[in-house]
Amino acid sequence: MILRQYKSIKRETIINPETGEFTEKQKYIDSLYSKRGYVLKYNNDYIKLFLDNGLPEECSLIDCGKFYRLIRYIIGENQLLGYRSSKIKPLTVEKMSEMFKCSDRQTRRFLKQMKDLKVIKEVCINDVKWYAVNPLYALKSKYLSPTVFIIFQDELMPVLPNWVLNNFMSEAITDKVEIKK
C-alpha cells in the first residue's frame, strides 16, 4: 500500500509544434526520500551561508554569534534586516540590543565593525533606514536582486561574471537607494 501523502505529482505536457495538440502525463514520485537521502524540509524559510567566504578573521566568536543571530532577520530578496509586526519594519539598534542582550553602545560598536569589514551596510531605501547583509556572506534568496547589486556593487563586481554585471547595469531600479557611510 502506497501512501499518497508522501508523494508528489509530476505532470508532463508534450506539445506537438506542428499541430498544436498536447498530451499530458502524470505520475507519482517520492518527494521525501531518494538515493541521496531524506529531504529534510523543515520549512521554506532558509538562509544560505557560504563557508568558503566566511566572516573576516577580525571577527571574534561573539561577533560571529551576533551575525548568525542577525541573519535570521533577513527579509525578502533585498537582504534587508527587519521583522514583522503589523507590517515589515527595519531592525533597529534597540531591537538588536534586545536580541543580543547587550547595551546599545555594544551593538553600535558591533555594527560599526561589520560596516568597516563590508559585511553589513547601512542604507536608506525610499527614505527608510535599513541595515543590509552582504550576500557574499549570507543569502536569503536564491536570486541576487538588482537592489542588492546596487547596495553591494563594490564587493560583488570582482566576483560576478561580466555578462551578469552587464545585465545588472542595464536593469532599471525602481527603489531610491542611498548608501550611508
Side-chain angles (χ1 to χ4, degrees):
M1 177 176 171
I2 297 175
L3 297 174
R4 298 275 189 223
Q5 69 188 36
Y6 297 110
K7 300 284 183 174
S8 294
I9 297 173
K10 179 180 179 183
R11 290 193 173 104
E12 187 176 317
T13 304
I14 302 168
I15 300 172
N16 183 337
E18 295 173 12
T19 63
E21 295 176 343
F22 66 92
T23 57
E24 287 188 347
K25 291 182 181 178
Q26 163 177 311
K27 66 180 180 180
Y28 289 93
I29 58 171
D30 191 354
S31 61
L32 295 179
Y33 198 84
S34 71
K35 288 184 261 179
R36 295 175 66 190
Y38 177 67
V39 178
L40 180 61
K41 191 172 183 176
Y42 180 67
N43 61 28
N44 287 333
D45 200 18
Y46 60 91
I47 300 286
K48 293 178 186 170
L49 296 175
F50 303 104
L51 300 178
D52 59 337
N53 194 31
L55 289 175
E57 292 295 321
E58 295 88 355
C59 293
S60 69
L61 288 176
I62 292 172
D63 295 334
C64 293
K66 287 178 180 178
F67 178 75
Y68 178 75
R69 183 149 299 165
L70 263 187
I71 63 175
R72 296 173 45 210
Y73 289 88
I74 298 174
I75 54 169
E77 292 185 352
N78 289 338
Q79 294 293 106
L80 302 175
L81 293 172
Y83 65 98
R84 288 171 172 69
S85 66
S86 59
K87 62 180 187 171
I88 296 175
K89 296 181 180 178
L91 201 57
T92 62
V93 171
E94 294 76 24
K95 281 279 189 190
M96 287 184 219
S97 297
E98 284 177 34
M99 192 171 46
F100 299 151
K101 297 182 175 89
C102 67
S103 69
D104 288 358
R105 184 171 157 222
Q106 289 171 315
T107 301
R108 287 182 203 284
R109 189 178 317 127
F110 165 75
L111 288 172
K112 182 184 178 331
Q113 180 187 16
M114 292 292 116
K115 287 193 284 187
D116 291 346
L117 295 171
K118 297 182 183 340
V119 174
I120 291 175
K121 283 196 178 178
E122 187 177 331
V123 296
C124 279
I125 298 180
N126 300 327
D127 298 323
V128 178
K129 179 180 158 186
W130 295 87
Y131 292 99
V133 175
N134 187 331
L136 295 176
Y137 298 102
L139 184 63
K140 172 69 173 187
S141 171
K142 62 181 168 181
Y143 300 105
L144 192 62
S145 75
T147 304
V148 174
F149 175 74
I150 293 298
I151 296 169
F152 292 101
Q153 62 185 315
D154 293 339
E155 294 79 17
L156 292 171
M157 285 180 127
V159 297
L160 294 177
N162 284 334
W163 66 270
V164 175
L165 295 174
N166 292 335
N167 283 346
F168 275 129
M169 295 300 191
S170 66
E171 288 277 330
I173 305 294
T174 57
D175 293 327
K176 178 184 157 197
V177 179
E178 178 188 345
I179 300 167
K180 301 285 186 178
K181 297 294 178 190

